[in-house]
Amino acid sequence: MDTDRRAKAQRFADLHREGCFLLPNAWDVGSARILEAAGFPAVATTSAGVAFSLGRPDHDFFAEQPPEDRVDRTTMLGRVREITAGLQVPVSADLEDGYGESPETVAETVELTLASGAAGGNIEDFTGDRSRPLYEEKLAADRIRAARETLTAHGEPFVLVGRTDVLLVGGPLDEAVRRANSYLEAGADCAFVPGAADAETIGALVRGIDGPLNVVMGLTGNALSLDDLRDLGVRRVTVGGSIARAMYRGLLDAARELADHGTFSYAADQLSQTELNDLFRQG
């Protein structure tokens, strides 16, 4: 890792030490450059947004998603590499379940992610198998542990996030807390529990988890603000694929207006060519 990349990665790690920050999610270089221009100190990727940009569904239960529909590791990390090369701020990668069950595969994924220039990455415990939607807890922790051992061997700054999807698959809050703490003990720097959107649940997670907590907003819209989340003790806030979904909502609305009515009112709020050129102009 060169000096500039190491400095970016260290800045990203430092953001997790105190306070609360918003880490918005991009899916390509253009979306990432716009988020960077808005002044965010770092940007994350969204595997959902990347999948949608490729005309694929997001990672889901296998019964609803044939294997050929899933974005493979090489393609996903290729997009991560493009984004990191196009930004001056640190980038954290959504690595789904690490692209394989074994701890060895997860470790390899994290090593490849480090080589892509990313400053951090999430590993989740969602399996895609309805008969066992989450990896068994010990195996899930071993996967995080293997990733941490690989990172330690490289000696480079990298924020490893242990994500548990307990709440998303209908599991209890106490299991989410237990798994999050298990992943932190195994070497994660930050815990991530998607599916918590109200102050009571988020507050309980903050109190129960022995480390920094990431929550995701924007899945269905939410009344809580960044200030509210800061007051609750949340360390990091992401928005998942919500910006991408909002963009595709606009695209679908424009397509329906054109196809159904032959009118062009969708264009009234477009960014001008000059604005976009200025945003994307190098240097």
Side-chain angles (χ1 to χ4, degrees):
M1 182 178 286
D2 62 39
T3 303
D4 180 60
R5 287 168 60 187
R6 173 181 274 274
K8 286 198 294 186
Q10 188 59 57
R11 290 202 311 271
F12 187 57
D14 291 343
L15 287 171
H16 295 76
R17 300 192 188 286
E18 61 182 3
C20 178
F21 73 101
L22 183 56
L23 180 67
N25 301 76
W27 56 95
D28 60 13
V29 178
S31 59
R33 290 283 298 277
I34 287 175
L35 294 172
E36 180 183 46
F40 292 102
V43 171
T45 66
T46 160
S47 62
V50 172
F52 301 153
S53 75
L54 295 168
R56 306 274 192 89
D58 188 20
H59 181 37
D60 202 349
F61 287 108
F62 298 146
E64 287 79 26
Q65 183 184 37
E68 61 269 20
D69 276 357
R70 187 180 181 188
V71 179
D72 62 83
R73 183 173 70 180
T74 299
T75 302
M76 188 67 74
L77 291 182
R79 182 64 62 86
V80 170
R81 184 174 290 103
E82 291 172 0
I83 293 172
T84 61
L87 297 191
Q88 298 301 311
V89 298
V91 174
S92 184
D94 180 350
L95 302 175
E96 299 185 336
D97 72 334
Y99 300 94
E101 178 170 341
S102 73
E104 293 78 13
T105 298
V106 173
E108 182 180 60
T109 295
V110 169
E111 184 165 28
L112 291 170
T113 304
L114 186 66
S116 78
N122 306 342
I123 298 293
E124 64 194 44
D125 56 14
F126 177 69
T127 66
D129 183 348
R130 284 198 182 276
S131 67
R132 53 152 199 158
L134 302 177
Y135 289 112
E136 186 271 327
E137 191 171 329
K138 181 181 182 304
L139 173 59
D142 286 344
R143 287 154 42 85
I144 296 294
R145 187 172 294 106
R148 172 49 61 196
E149 289 172 355
T150 293
L151 293 168
T152 299
H154 281 276
E156 300 292 348
F158 188 95
V159 177
L160 178 63
V161 179
R163 166 176 159 166
T164 179
D165 283 18
V166 170
L167 299 182
L168 292 184
V169 300
L173 183 63
D174 61 348
E175 182 182 355
V177 170
R178 188 182 69 244
R179 280 178 173 264
N181 282 329
S182 178
Y183 303 162
L184 289 167
E185 290 173 7
D189 299 295
C190 182
F192 180 12
V193 186
D198 62 276
E200 181 178 357
T201 302
I202 292 171
L205 289 171
V206 170
R207 291 188 297 273
I209 293 173
D210 299 324
L213 173 66
N214 181 111
V215 297
V216 59
M217 295 286 108
L219 294 182
T220 58
N222 197 274
L224 294 176
S225 68
L226 184 62
D227 285 340
D228 294 329
L229 296 167
R230 181 180 292 109
D231 291 342
L232 286 168
V234 172
R235 182 60 48 81
R236 187 174 99 167
V237 181
T238 50
V239 296
S242 63
I243 301 176
R245 290 192 296 273
M247 290 279 289
Y248 281 106
R249 170 82 267 174
L251 175 59
L252 182 58
D253 287 347
R256 284 175 172 166
E257 180 187 355
L258 289 167
D260 297 343
H261 304 289
T263 57
F264 310 96
S265 65
Y266 73 88
D269 294 326
Q270 67 180 297
L271 286 170
S272 72
Q273 186 85 355
T274 298
E275 288 175 300
L276 284 171
N277 282 345
D278 288 344
L279 277 169
F280 295 146
R281 188 168 284 116
Q282 296 292 332

